[in-house]
Structures are given as structure tokens and as C-alpha cells.
Amino acid sequence: MVGRFLFGWIFISWTIFLTAQETNPTEPILMVKTEEEIIPDGVLSEAVWETAKRVDGFWQSFPLDSIQAIGSTEVMFAYDDTYLYVAVISHTIGNDFVIPSLRRDYSFSGNDNITLVFDTFGDKTNAMVFGMNPYGVQREALISNGGRARPDFQSSWDNKWRGDASRHADYWIGEFAIPFKTLRFQKGSTNWRFNCYRSDTQINEQTSLNRIPRNRLVMDLSFMRDVIWEEPLEKAGTNVSIIPFVTTSGIRDYEDAYGSPEYKYSAGLDAKVGVTSGLNLDLTVNPDFSQVEVDQQVTNLDRFEIFFPERRQFFLENADLFSTFGIGSRANPFFSRRIGVVTDPETGQNLQNPIHFGARLSGKLNENVRVGLMNMQAAALPESGLPAFNYTVAAFQQKVFNRSNFSFFGINKQATGSVDGGNYNEFNRVIGAEYRLLSADNKWNAKVFLHKAITPEKLEHQWVHGSSIEYITRKFRAEWAHVQIGNGFVAEVGFIPRKDILLASPEAEIFFYPKSDKISFHSLMVDTRFFWQIGKDGNEIFDPWTLSERQVEAEWSFETNTRAQGGMTMVYNNLTLMNDFDPTRRQKEGVVLKAGDSFVFTEWAFNYRSDQRQTFFYEVEPRYGSFYSGFRTGVESQITYRFQPYGSIAMNVNYNYIDLKGDFEPASIWLVGPRFDLTFSKKIFLTTFVQYNNQLENLNVNARLQWRYAPVSDFFLVFTDNFNADGGFSQFSIRNRALVAKLTYWFNP
């Protein structure tokens, strides 16, 4: 059955491929080599910029997508044996720029900036991003999966390059010097692909070198221009970066009456080795991730675990090779945040599991083959009955046709050593194969996959299979997705919130482009989800293959010509609980919605985000509706004041009032607190969260000071305070406090 299913999907994919055509053909860009020394200071005083060909002719992507750009942009290129140089002249109507802060890795929307996108292998799937704003603030990022969705943009990636900007009465200049050591490409290559997009807040325009439909993201890699190199590119010499660090911390647990402050000192080493111009080796010894930005808390009213994205640098480059198997957060066999975290078998709580060392080889073997190999060794936790674990992941991707690929992977979590009386699996393994289709014009996107778990205990239904297919045009989008997750599919290094189910989800959306001076774009979307219980989990609530849950979500969304966004959403739920559940997580013991109870409820939500170009802007989302056996009302909002270019202060409020009737006490659930994001210069940043969460009965203060004293080299000072907030705002008692200092240095021998 599964074999016939896979064959059918591959046949459909072949048919789609044969009908897909390349889009947006444009004149190639010729890269000319120079012997002149270029200083990337934003001045353009070098002679090469006087003779370099200026690439222009940008198109609007907002508010329209059918006219040439109003504000002109000119891009020039040069290169030598060490650097790729790019100069961009952005013409303006003045110099009243919007610059939210001086922090590196700003967001594209809501400020003036220019972004360069390089598809160095020409695979229309992966790209490297470098950006700059009129104050010379830089950003870099990675794009994966063709740039179809916002999660495909990974801004946490960091690397070494130089650049600056200069501002003038009616234009600004950004000048880039990107080392070939930073870029990943095939030795001897003569052809890349390139795009450039810009945000101009003064005339309220977003533009791109290549014309991109309004309902596509400007980072979509199917809309790019060819780059032709004057000479074949050579590997840029030895490419080794060594990043040592030292860290010290002080921690005090005030809930332990007999405890005392605990002081720790440690040192470690990260390294990046360019094995080839397309293949990179990352190494780490005794890694420490204390400088990673704290996850902003969320209110959890759902029955399942919440997915948080990976932020740690070691796992980011070529992350799509490892982390995009399966279907998003529904069934992902590898979730890197599981490494360094284990579950206490007695309490079910997550525990930090120190990592001793790790190695990660990833990238391109050639234009058609990508590989990823990773091995991490974590420490034992004998006090919790857990031994040391070794994590190994291998991934292989073979490009076929224009942009499609076959992928294979294997994951092994292996106990190394033993603990007497411990409750743990000696090993956990998952293997799988996938075929992914991406048409040349990015209209078709499809996937079919089959994964198998291997455990010491032989279980029934140790597999996952699924498929998805999406078709998108300027006016219409349709999608089908399904995934079947067996009850025996144990993936300890994956993210599998639900098992023993078959999920089917058809979805459709229509796009409208009114000729209006108010609305730029709006759409209507309907997404449906149907869950069948397979019946291998021993639960007697349903007969096998019974429809246990269905959900219909309808949404109208819009964007105005002033960049404000909003919409209205209706969600209909019809479900039967498989387990006892308290959505508030604040009721007395035993007061729960009972397993086997059925509920039908509908919620309505409205959302609006004002123009982010303004000094004061806000987001607000009120909601109201029935909720399980009662009703729910609430609001989620963020109010931000920007004092450019030095940062912003935002107040976040998430409030829910839930009354489930019967024995349940009405619950007011608060998650509230300010965020201070201050940038004293382009090198010194301070971010502070204050988060009061009465669902967790906790008040958290997290402050992170970062000093970038040299390129990609930092000093971090991180302070964390947690208070017991059982008595609400009026009563606080300290739980724990920690202060961590860390110094890193990026050294290129």
C-alpha cells in the first residue's frame, strides 16, 4: 500500500517537473576582477566604482507588484582574490530614515535597508544574505527551502565580513566587502544567482531587482538573476576560524534553605574549518550557550508541547539538511534542541545535560550533492539515573531535475556507559527517506516521506509516513497535507507532539489586489484539519480509525498602503479528549476535563498591527468565543515606542479569562511585562525582559549585555532572576538568581 502511494506521488512529481518553466529571465550580471585595493567605508573613492557597470531597473514588490520602482537603486560589483565587493547607491527624497536601533541583525520591515542575496551554487534552494542600513548596521542570514516561508530565513547565523554606509541629502551608499572564505561555493564555478531587495520608508516602497509577485516573499529564490564570473573562482586559501571562550557564573537557589551560592568557571573552544569551498566542519569542545537570547515566554492553553526554534550558532549553518524532515512541528524526527536536554524519568521534567564535545560536517560535495554528519557527546546525570548519551545524525541529499531532491537520514541516540537502576533506553534510532519537489518557478512544492523508528523494545507501528503538495499563483493557493504517525514511533531526538493518528489537512487561499488608495492586498483562507485515531495506543475511548477531532480555520487578512496589517480569524473545533486536561493549569488537583468528554466550540479573533515606520506603533489581538465546556475571552498586545537609533521599549500583555463552568474556578491568566532593547552604539547592546507569568506563578527578569569588541567577537554579561509569584503582584519571594559572564574571540590564523 505504502509502496503504491510513494510511486503515485513520484509520478505526479515527474509530471509537475516536466510542465514547470523558468521565470523572470533577465540579463546576466558580469563580475569583473580588479587589482585595486578597496576600503569598504561607504565613500566609493576607488577608481573601480567609476567604471563598474551599474545594475538598476528595480521593481516594486510593495505596495504594487506591477510597476517599476519609484526610488531608483544602483548596484555595482567588483572582486579580487580575497573579497567580493558590492556597492549600492539608494536614491531617496531626503534623509529622514527609519532606524529602529543600532543592533546587528535588524529585521527588514519597518526600517530603511538594502539586502543582498547570493545563491552561490545556483540550486534555487539555499542562499546567503548580507544586509546594511543607512547607519552602516549589518545583518547576515541563511535562506533554505527556496525561501518560500518566513521560517526559511535564519537570522541567528553569524559570520565575518566588512562594510559601512554614508548618508547624503538625497541618497545613501552601502559598501560591502565579503570574504570568499565566508561564502560557500563550488571551486571553479563561473555562475551564481543574485537578487537585491530594498526597503525605503520615506516613499513607503519595497523593491527588488527582480520582479516578484505580491503574494510571494521578497527572499523567494526562484526570482533571481544570473551572475557570470570573469574567471573561474578558486578556493580562497586556508579557511580556519578558531573561537575560544571563557565563562564564569554564580548561581544561588534561594528555595534551598541550606544552600549556598555556587560558582563555576569553564573554558571551551569552537572552530570552523572550510574543508572545501562548499563543505564546512564545525567543532566544539565543552560548549556553553549561556549567551543565547532567552525564549520569550508564551501562554500555553493547548494540550501539547510548544515548539521553540533553535538559536545556538553551532547548529545553524546548513540546518535545513538536518531539521526539515517530516512536516514541521507535527512530525519532525530531528529537533536539535533535544541535544543537551534530557527528561528526568521520575518527574518528567527537562534537565540540562552538559555537552562535552561535538563535530558537524555539512555542505555541498558538488553542485548536486549535499551531506550532513553530526556527532555530539553529552555528560551523564547519575543523580537522575541517566548515563552519558552520544548523538549521531547523518543526512544525504541528492538534487534531481531543476530544484528537487531525494534525501536520506539516520539518527542514533546511544547510551555510553550505564547507571544502576536507571530508567532509560539503551538506544533510540530513526531512519528515513524523502522526496521533495520544488518546481523551477516555485509554483509547485511537494513532499513525500517515510520514517522508521528502531528501539530496544519491539513495538507496533514504529513508522511515520506523509505527503504534502502546494500550488501557488498570483491569485490562488491550494495545499494538501497528510501525516500518519504510528504509536510505536519513538523519536527521542525529535519533536512528535502526537502519535497514533492520521492527520489530513486540505487548505485553500485566494488573493486580491484592489485598485485602492487604502488596501494594498488582502486574502481569504480556509484551512481544515481532520484527525483519526489509529487505535494502537490501548486507549478504549475510540474504536480504531475513528474520527476524533476536526478543526476548521477561516481567515481574512489584509495589508494597507501604509504597511499596517490586520485580519479576522474564526476557528471551529469538534473534539474528544484522549486524556484528562486542565487548559488553565491553575485548578485544584482532580478538577479537570475528563478523558472521553466531547466538546464543540468556536473562537473569534481580530488582529491589527499599525505602521512600524512610526515612532509609536502597536499590535493588538482581542479574542472571544466558546472554549471547551465554557468560554474564553482575552487580548494579546504589544505597544512599542522607538527612540531611534538607540532602541525601543515594548510592553507585552497577554491576558486570558477562562470560565469552564462546573467545578472549575474562573481563571485569569496573565503573561505581562516590558522588553527594553537598547543599543548604545553599533557594538554595545542591552536587552532586558521582565516577564510575569501567573500560569507558572513566576516573575522572571533576564538581562543580556553584549559588547562586540572585535568582528564576531563578544563579551556577554547575562543576569537572570526568578521570583515566586504565587500570591500575584502583591507578594514575591526570590526563587533563584544567576549571573553569567562570557568572553569569545573569533581568531583567523
Side-chain angles (χ1 to χ4, degrees):
M1 177 67 181
V2 172
R4 292 197 299 270
F5 178 80
L6 290 170
F7 178 80
W9 267 104
I10 293 173
F11 177 79
I12 294 171
S13 301
W14 266 93
T15 304
I16 294 170
F17 164 74
L18 293 172
T19 60
Q21 300 296 321
E22 183 66 64
T23 64
N24 206 22
T26 50
E27 180 183 353
I29 299 169
L30 178 63
M31 295 288 198
V32 179
K33 197 170 184 179
T34 181
E35 300 297 329
E36 183 180 8
E37 181 182 4
I38 298 177
I39 307 299
D41 52 9
V43 178
L44 305 190
S45 57
E46 294 83 7
V48 66
W49 300 127
E50 296 294 327
T51 58
K53 178 179 174 57
R54 300 194 175 195
V55 180
D56 54 13
F58 278 54
W59 287 84
Q60 263 195 14
S61 63
F62 175 89
L64 302 175
D65 62 358
S66 56
I67 65 172
Q68 295 282 161
I70 297 172
S72 65
T73 307
E74 300 171 284
V75 188
M76 297 176 286
F77 302 89
Y79 76 100
D80 57 25
D81 291 333
T82 307
Y83 288 96
L84 165 61
Y85 303 99
V86 184
V88 184
I89 303 174
S90 301
H91 296 273
T92 64
I93 60 172
N95 57 9
D96 185 19
F97 302 112
V98 174
I99 307 295
S101 78
L102 300 174
R103 178 184 293 277
R104 194 182 185 97
D105 292 335
Y106 55 83
S107 65
F108 173 69
S109 300
N111 64 94
D112 288 273
N113 64 91
I114 194 78
T115 300
L116 313 178
V117 182
F118 295 98
D119 175 4
T120 56
F121 285 90
D123 59 11
K124 307 173 188 175
T125 304
N126 298 88
M128 308 180 85
V129 171
F130 302 89
M132 192 180 298
N133 71 19
Y135 279 52
V137 179
Q138 301 174 3
R139 73 167 181 166
E140 58 275 305
L142 299 173
I143 296 175
S144 60
N145 303 317
R148 293 177 59 89
R150 298 190 189 281
D152 298 337
F153 190 91
Q154 181 52 264
S155 61
S156 297
W157 178 68
D158 217 355
N159 221 310
K160 205 169 186 178
W161 61 284
R162 297 188 296 150
D164 210 343
S166 61
R167 301 182 299 278
H168 307 272
D170 56 359
Y171 67 95
W172 67 275
I173 296 173
E175 192 173 12
F176 302 71
I178 305 169
F180 283 110
K181 289 183 178 181
T182 294
L183 297 162
R184 306 286 181 247
F185 58 91
Q186 186 68 32
K187 178 182 177 182
S189 62
T190 58
N191 185 280
W192 289 7
R193 300 174 71 246
F194 172 77
N195 193 22
C196 177
Y197 53 87
R198 174 189 171 193
S199 174
D200 184 345
T201 65
Q202 295 178 86
I203 59 174
N204 190 29
E205 181 181 56
Q206 293 178 357
T207 60
S208 173
L209 177 60
N210 293 280
R211 186 176 178 181
I212 299 176
R214 182 71 186 85
N215 63 332
R216 303 289 190 95
L217 299 177
V218 290
M219 67 177 183
D220 193 316
L221 300 186
S222 58
F223 303 94
M224 303 187 76
R225 186 172 298 189
D226 286 335
V227 170
I228 308 298
W229 295 90
E230 189 176 43
E231 299 176 2
L233 294 175
E234 297 297 322
K235 182 180 178 182
T238 303
N239 186 2
V240 178
S241 299
I242 300 174
I243 314 164
F245 64 83
V246 293
T247 181
T248 180
S249 64
I251 303 172
R252 174 69 187 274
D253 183 359
Y254 288 89
E255 294 181 316
D256 183 354
Y258 301 98
S260 59
E262 180 181 359
Y263 299 99
K264 295 181 180 180
Y265 307 89
S266 65
L269 181 74
D270 293 334
K272 299 176 75 69
V273 181
V275 180
T276 69
S277 53
L279 197 62
N280 190 70
L281 175 64
D282 290 282
L283 302 170
T284 187
V285 178
N286 192 31
D288 174 79
F289 302 117
S290 60
Q291 87 283 8
V292 174
E293 184 176 349
V294 65
D295 289 316
Q296 190 165 352
Q297 295 181 26
V298 297
T299 299
N300 186 8
L301 303 177
D302 199 4
R303 292 164 286 159
F304 308 104
E305 180 183 5
I306 295 175
F307 182 90
F308 288 101
E310 178 63 82
R311 298 177 185 271
R312 298 174 291 181
Q313 279 289 323
F314 179 83
F315 297 99
L316 296 182
E317 188 164 347
N318 291 306
D320 64 295
L321 261 173
F322 302 92
S323 62
T324 57
F325 293 104
I327 294 185
S329 59
R330 295 285 185 186
N332 192 329
F334 178 72
F335 181 41
S336 58
R337 289 184 69 137
R338 301 290 191 214
I339 298 177
V341 177
V342 293
T343 302
D344 189 318
E346 298 298 325
T347 66
Q349 298 297 313
N350 288 335
L351 302 172
Q352 293 296 318
N353 187 205
I355 298 172
H356 287 320
F357 58 83
R360 188 171 178 272
L361 180 70
S362 63
K364 289 264 194 177
L365 289 180
N366 54 49
E367 290 188 358
N368 296 320
V369 178
R370 298 176 73 203
V371 295
L373 298 171
M374 177 163 48
N375 184 270
M376 306 288 288
Q377 180 64 49
L381 296 176
E383 65 278 9
S384 298
L386 295 172
F389 286 101
N390 182 269
Y391 302 83
T392 301
V393 185
F396 173 87
Q397 186 181 96
Q398 171 68 56
K399 177 184 173 183
V400 293
F401 313 134
N402 190 287
R403 304 174 66 199
S404 306
N405 60 72
F406 283 101
S407 298
F408 307 90
F409 71 88
I411 302 166
N412 182 41
K413 177 184 176 183
Q414 184 79 43
T416 55
S418 61
V419 175
D420 292 339
N423 180 18
Y424 58 88
N425 289 321
E426 180 183 351
F427 64 85
N428 178 251
R429 297 165 187 156
V430 181
I431 58 175
E434 300 195 356
Y435 171 66
R436 178 159 190 179
L437 167 86
L438 283 172
S439 66
D441 56 9
N442 230 359
K443 289 183 178 180
W444 289 96
N445 176 25
K447 171 188 278 195
V448 58
F449 61 90
L450 179 63
H451 305 162
K452 175 75 165 61
I454 303 170
T455 59
E457 181 183 2
K458 303 302 180 183
L459 304 172
E460 280 192 283
H461 286 208
Q462 290 192 295
W463 40 257
V464 166
H465 73 78
S467 67
S468 65
I469 185 167
E470 180 189 44
Y471 176 72
I472 184 170
T473 67
R474 190 174 185 273
K475 295 184 178 181
F476 178 75
R477 181 180 69 88
E479 181 180 0
W480 163 271
H482 101 271
V483 60
Q484 186 170 339
I485 307 173
N487 187 60
F489 187 76
V490 179
E492 295 182 8
V493 197
F495 190 89
I496 314 291
R498 302 180 68 169
K499 295 191 295 184
D500 199 46
I501 61 165
L502 169 63
L503 164 64
S505 178
E507 182 178 346
E509 187 171 9
I510 303 174
F511 307 106
F512 302 92
Y513 309 88
K515 295 181 179 179
S516 166
D517 59 354
K518 300 292 185 182
I519 302 295
S520 166
F521 165 84
H522 65 108
S523 66
L524 290 172
M525 184 273 294
V526 176
D527 185 8
T528 59
R529 292 175 281 273
F530 302 90
F531 294 85
W532 284 266
Q533 233 32 62
I534 297 175
K536 297 295 183 178
D537 61 351
N539 197 310
E540 298 181 356
I541 294 174
F542 293 107
D543 293 330
W545 296 105
T546 299
L547 181 64
S548 62
E549 182 176 345
R550 49 192 180 272
Q551 188 177 82
V552 179
E553 179 178 352
E555 180 181 47
W556 172 64
S557 60
F558 67 87
E559 186 168 9
T560 72
N561 288 328
T562 61
R563 301 195 191 187
Q565 296 179 344
M568 179 174 64
T569 305
M570 182 278 294
V571 181
Y572 165 85
N573 296 273
N574 187 327
L575 61 89
T576 300
L577 291 178
M578 301 293 295
N579 300 286
D580 294 347
F581 177 52
D582 170 21
T584 71
R585 292 166 173 82
R586 293 182 55 81
Q587 302 297 321
K588 296 178 181 178
E589 186 175 355
V591 179
V592 293
L593 302 173
K594 300 296 185 181
D597 288 348
S598 298
F599 303 93
V600 178
F601 54 99
T602 302
E603 294 187 274
W604 295 83
F606 306 86
N607 65 86
Y608 182 78
R609 188 184 74 184
S610 66
D611 184 356
Q612 290 182 292
R613 297 173 300 157
Q614 304 302 315
T615 303
F616 174 86
F617 59 93
Y618 61 92
E619 299 178 49
V620 61
E621 183 176 340
R623 60 177 61 246
Y624 179 85
S626 53
F627 190 66
Y628 292 97
S629 58
F631 75 93
R632 168 193 175 195
T633 186
V635 63
E636 184 173 355
S637 65
Q638 176 176 288
I639 302 171
T640 304
Y641 176 75
R642 184 184 76 248
F643 43 97
Q644 78 171 41
Y646 299 110
S648 62
I649 298 176
M651 185 65 183
N652 297 282
V653 176
N654 189 340
Y655 171 71
N656 288 274
Y657 178 81
I658 299 174
D659 187 355
L660 298 177
K661 310 298 183 182
D663 294 333
F664 286 85
E665 291 291 333
S668 292
I669 300 174
W670 289 92
L671 175 55
V672 59
R675 170 176 174 148
F676 304 90
D677 195 352
L678 308 178
T679 58
F680 304 102
S681 70
K682 287 192 286 186
K683 295 184 177 181
I684 301 177
F685 320 123
L686 174 65
T687 301
T688 301
F689 274 110
V690 180
Q691 300 179 99
Y692 169 70
N693 188 334
N694 75 336
Q695 196 177 37
L696 300 178
E697 298 178 344
N698 189 73
L699 174 70
N700 169 258
V701 179
N702 183 280
R704 187 183 77 156
L705 177 69
Q706 177 184 359
W707 173 31
R708 176 147 288 189
Y709 63 90
V712 208
S713 303
D714 300 282
F715 171 73
F716 295 95
L717 190 64
V718 182
F719 173 76
T720 302
D721 224 344
N722 286 288
F723 296 87
N724 185 346
D726 190 13
F729 284 109
S730 61
Q731 300 178 27
F732 291 113
S733 60
I734 188 168
R735 281 178 164 166
N736 54 68
R737 178 172 292 161
L739 182 66
V740 179
K742 181 176 180 181
L743 183 70
T744 70
Y745 181 71
W746 188 300
F747 175 64
N748 292 103

